[in-house]
Amino acid sequence: MATTAYPTPICLSCAAPSCKDPSSSFLPRSCFKTSKHRPFLIFSIVSVGGSPLSDPAIKPRRKRRHRSSGGGKVFCSISDGPETITACKWNEYVISSDVPVLVEFWASWCGPCAMVRRIMEEISQEYMERMKFYKIDADDYPQIATSYGIDQVPTVLLFKDGNKVESITGTLPKYVYVKAIERNLS
Protein backbone atom coordinates (compact mmCIF):
# COMPACT_ATOMS: atom_id res chain seq x y z
CA MET A 1 0.00 0.00 0.00
CA ALA A 2 1.45 3.34 -1.03
CA THR A 3 1.60 6.18 1.45
CA THR A 4 0.55 9.66 0.49
CA ALA A 5 2.59 12.63 1.58
CA TYR A 6 0.59 15.74 2.32
CA PRO A 7 2.15 19.20 2.09
CA THR A 8 2.91 21.01 5.31
CA PRO A 9 0.10 23.45 6.19
CA ILE A 10 0.80 27.15 5.78
CA CYS A 11 0.72 29.48 8.80
CA LEU A 12 -2.21 31.84 8.40
CA SER A 13 -0.33 34.66 10.14
CA CYS A 14 2.99 34.76 8.30
CA ALA A 15 2.52 32.47 5.24
CA ALA A 16 5.42 30.23 6.33
CA PRO A 17 4.94 26.47 6.40
CA SER A 18 3.80 25.55 9.89
CA CYS A 19 4.85 22.53 11.84
CA LYS A 20 4.08 21.23 15.31
CA ASP A 21 7.78 21.00 16.16
CA PRO A 22 9.55 24.39 16.66
CA SER A 23 12.92 22.80 15.90
CA SER A 24 11.72 21.79 12.43
CA SER A 25 13.42 23.37 9.45
CA PHE A 26 10.04 24.06 7.87
CA LEU A 27 9.29 27.00 10.12
CA PRO A 28 11.72 29.80 10.91
CA ARG A 29 12.43 30.20 14.62
CA SER A 30 11.74 33.92 14.33
CA CYS A 31 8.12 33.06 13.63
CA PHE A 32 7.78 31.40 17.04
CA LYS A 33 9.31 34.39 18.80
CA THR A 34 6.72 36.82 17.46
CA SER A 35 3.20 36.96 18.77
CA LYS A 36 1.69 37.04 15.29
CA HIS A 37 2.27 33.33 14.67
CA ARG A 38 -0.46 30.99 15.78
CA PRO A 39 0.34 27.46 14.54
CA PHE A 40 -2.49 25.14 13.65
CA LEU A 41 -4.01 23.30 16.58
CA ILE A 42 -3.57 19.59 16.01
CA PHE A 43 -5.90 17.29 17.92
CA SER A 44 -4.89 13.76 18.69
CA ILE A 45 -6.74 11.07 20.56
CA VAL A 46 -4.83 10.31 23.73
CA SER A 47 -6.14 6.79 24.10
CA VAL A 48 -8.88 4.67 22.61
CA GLY A 49 -11.33 5.77 25.27
CA GLY A 50 -9.73 9.19 25.76
CA SER A 51 -10.82 12.52 24.44
CA PRO A 52 -8.70 15.14 22.64
CA LEU A 53 -9.79 17.56 25.34
CA SER A 54 -8.17 15.41 28.02
CA ASP A 55 -4.76 16.33 26.62
CA PRO A 56 -3.20 18.81 29.11
CA ALA A 57 -1.60 20.75 26.24
CA ILE A 58 -5.03 21.74 24.94
CA LYS A 59 -6.78 24.19 27.21
CA PRO A 60 -10.36 25.21 26.50
CA ARG A 61 -10.97 28.92 26.17
CA ARG A 62 -13.56 30.71 28.21
CA LYS A 63 -16.09 32.84 26.49
CA ARG A 64 -15.90 36.44 27.54
CA ARG A 65 -19.02 38.42 28.06
CA HIS A 66 -18.77 42.03 27.13
CA ARG A 67 -21.03 44.57 28.64
CA SER A 68 -22.88 46.64 26.12
CA SER A 69 -22.83 50.38 26.35
CA GLY A 70 -26.63 50.39 26.11
CA GLY A 71 -27.09 50.09 29.88
CA GLY A 72 -28.50 46.55 29.75
CA LYS A 73 -30.95 47.30 26.93
CA VAL A 74 -31.42 44.70 24.24
CA PHE A 75 -31.30 45.92 20.68
CA CYS A 76 -32.67 43.85 17.83
CA SER A 77 -31.18 44.15 14.38
CA ILE A 78 -33.90 42.91 12.04
CA SER A 79 -33.44 43.61 8.36
CA ASP A 80 -36.34 44.97 6.44
CA GLY A 81 -35.85 42.29 3.80
CA PRO A 82 -38.27 39.56 2.80
CA GLU A 83 -40.19 37.98 5.68
CA THR A 84 -39.94 34.22 6.16
CA ILE A 85 -43.29 32.48 5.85
CA THR A 86 -44.56 28.96 6.42
CA ALA A 87 -46.93 26.72 4.48
CA CYS A 88 -49.68 27.53 6.98
CA LYS A 89 -49.56 31.22 6.07
CA TRP A 90 -49.13 30.71 2.32
CA ASN A 91 -52.77 31.29 1.37
CA GLU A 92 -53.17 34.24 3.72
CA TYR A 93 -49.98 36.07 2.74
CA VAL A 94 -49.49 35.15 -0.93
CA ILE A 95 -52.71 33.95 -2.53
CA SER A 96 -55.11 36.35 -0.76
CA SER A 97 -52.87 39.41 -1.05
CA ASP A 98 -54.35 42.50 -2.69
CA VAL A 99 -50.91 43.71 -3.84
CA PRO A 100 -48.30 41.86 -5.93
CA VAL A 101 -46.12 39.43 -3.96
CA LEU A 102 -42.57 38.30 -4.67
CA VAL A 103 -41.58 34.97 -3.07
CA GLU A 104 -38.05 33.59 -2.97
CA PHE A 105 -37.70 29.80 -2.64
CA TRP A 106 -34.36 29.02 -1.02
CA ALA A 107 -32.46 26.33 0.91
CA SER A 108 -29.95 26.59 3.74
CA TRP A 109 -27.31 24.58 1.85
CA CYS A 110 -27.58 26.70 -1.31
CA GLY A 111 -24.73 29.17 -1.90
CA PRO A 112 -26.37 31.08 -4.79
CA CYS A 113 -29.46 31.57 -2.59
CA ALA A 114 -27.41 33.88 -0.37
CA MET A 115 -26.59 36.07 -3.38
CA VAL A 116 -30.24 36.21 -4.44
CA ARG A 117 -31.23 36.99 -0.84
CA ARG A 118 -29.03 40.12 -0.89
CA ILE A 119 -30.61 41.22 -4.16
CA MET A 120 -34.10 40.62 -2.75
CA GLU A 121 -33.27 42.70 0.33
CA GLU A 122 -32.21 45.61 -1.90
CA ILE A 123 -35.29 45.33 -4.09
CA SER A 124 -37.60 45.05 -1.08
CA GLN A 125 -36.26 48.38 0.21
CA GLU A 126 -37.08 50.04 -3.11
CA TYR A 127 -40.57 48.55 -3.61
CA MET A 128 -41.79 48.07 -0.02
CA GLU A 129 -44.75 50.47 -0.43
CA ARG A 130 -46.03 48.88 -3.64
CA MET A 131 -45.69 45.13 -3.04
CA LYS A 132 -44.87 42.45 -0.46
CA PHE A 133 -41.76 40.27 -0.23
CA TYR A 134 -41.52 36.81 1.34
CA LYS A 135 -39.11 33.90 1.40
CA ILE A 136 -39.80 30.24 2.05
CA ASP A 137 -37.44 27.33 2.64
CA ALA A 138 -38.05 24.80 -0.14
CA ASP A 139 -36.60 21.97 1.99
CA ASP A 140 -38.94 22.66 4.90
CA TYR A 141 -42.07 23.03 2.73
CA PRO A 142 -41.61 20.83 -0.36
CA GLN A 143 -45.37 20.56 -0.94
CA ILE A 144 -45.54 24.25 -1.92
CA ALA A 145 -42.41 24.02 -4.07
CA THR A 146 -43.72 21.01 -6.00
CA SER A 147 -47.18 22.53 -6.45
CA TYR A 148 -45.56 25.40 -8.40
CA GLY A 149 -43.13 23.15 -10.31
CA ILE A 150 -40.01 24.30 -8.46
CA ASP A 151 -37.22 21.75 -8.74
CA GLN A 152 -34.23 24.11 -8.38
CA VAL A 153 -33.30 26.80 -5.91
CA PRO A 154 -33.04 29.74 -5.87
CA THR A 155 -36.32 30.39 -7.61
CA VAL A 156 -38.25 33.64 -7.37
CA LEU A 157 -41.97 33.69 -8.11
CA LEU A 158 -44.05 36.81 -8.66
CA PHE A 159 -47.75 36.62 -7.83
CA LYS A 160 -50.45 39.08 -8.85
CA ASP A 161 -54.05 38.64 -7.70
CA GLY A 162 -53.15 35.19 -6.32
CA ASN A 163 -51.82 33.89 -9.64
CA LYS A 164 -48.22 33.16 -10.57
CA VAL A 165 -47.23 35.59 -13.31
CA GLU A 166 -43.41 35.34 -13.36
CA SER A 167 -40.86 32.66 -12.47
CA ILE A 168 -37.11 33.33 -12.36
CA THR A 169 -34.74 30.46 -11.57
CA GLY A 170 -31.07 30.89 -10.76
CA THR A 171 -28.85 33.77 -9.72
CA LEU A 172 -29.37 36.66 -12.09
CA PRO A 173 -28.49 40.36 -12.00
CA LYS A 174 -30.74 42.74 -10.10
CA TYR A 175 -32.13 44.37 -13.26
CA VAL A 176 -33.75 41.06 -14.33
CA TYR A 177 -35.84 40.95 -11.15
CA VAL A 178 -36.64 44.67 -11.34
CA LYS A 179 -37.75 44.34 -14.96
CA ALA A 180 -40.14 41.50 -14.04
CA ILE A 181 -41.55 43.56 -11.16
CA GLU A 182 -42.07 46.66 -13.32
CA ARG A 183 -43.86 44.60 -15.99
CA ASN A 184 -46.40 43.40 -13.46
CA LEU A 185 -46.87 46.44 -11.22
CA SER A 186 -48.92 48.41 -13.75
Side-chain angles (χ1 to χ4, degrees):
M1 184 167 130
T3 60
T4 305
Y6 294 101
T8 304
I10 302 294
C11 170
L12 298 177
S13 301
C14 65
S18 68
C19 184
K20 195 167 75 170
D21 182 15
S23 65
S24 171
S25 62
F26 289 113
L27 190 61
R29 286 192 172 270
S30 62
C31 193
F32 277 99
K33 293 177 184 174
T34 63
S35 63
K36 71 176 185 171
H37 179 71
R38 303 286 184 250
F40 288 106
L41 182 61
I42 300 172
F43 287 101
S44 62
I45 297 178
V46 177
S47 66
V48 176
S51 160
L53 294 178
S54 64
D55 187 358
I58 302 172
K59 296 178 182 173
R61 290 185 174 181
R62 285 189 184 163
K63 292 184 180 180
R64 296 182 184 170
R65 295 181 188 230
H66 297 284
R67 290 188 177 245
S68 64
S69 60
K73 296 179 183 174
V74 177
F75 297 97
C76 185
S77 59
I78 298 176
S79 70
D80 293 329
E83 179 185 342
T84 303
I85 60 170
T86 62
C88 299
K89 298 292 183 176
W90 180 263
N91 287 339
E92 179 185 344
Y93 289 170
V94 178
I95 304 301
S96 302
S97 177
D98 54 346
V99 296
V101 177
L102 191 103
V103 181
E104 174 196 354
F105 285 82
W106 65 283
S108 60
W109 50 264
C110 173
C113 294
M115 294 188 297
V116 172
R117 187 174 309 120
R118 287 192 295 266
I119 294 171
M120 291 300 117
E121 287 174 359
E122 290 177 21
I123 293 173
S124 69
Q125 295 296 319
E126 297 170 12
Y127 291 93
M128 73 169 49
E129 294 87 22
R130 300 175 8 182
M131 63 186 303
K132 294 180 183 177
F133 294 87
Y134 299 110
K135 61 184 177 181
I136 188 165
D137 191 338
D139 286 341
D140 290 343
Y141 306 103
Q143 66 276 17
I144 294 178
T146 55
S147 67
Y148 288 99
I150 296 171
D151 56 354
Q152 297 176 358
V153 289
T155 297
V156 176
L157 299 181
L158 184 64
F159 291 86
K160 187 173 183 181
D161 298 323
N163 299 317
K164 180 178 85 168
V165 291
E166 293 277 342
S167 176
I168 302 169
T169 302
T171 306
L172 299 172
K174 180 180 173 180
Y175 74 87
V176 174
Y177 301 104
V178 171
K179 200 174 192 180
I181 290 169
E182 290 295 331
R183 271 196 307 264
N184 292 291
L185 274 180
S186 55

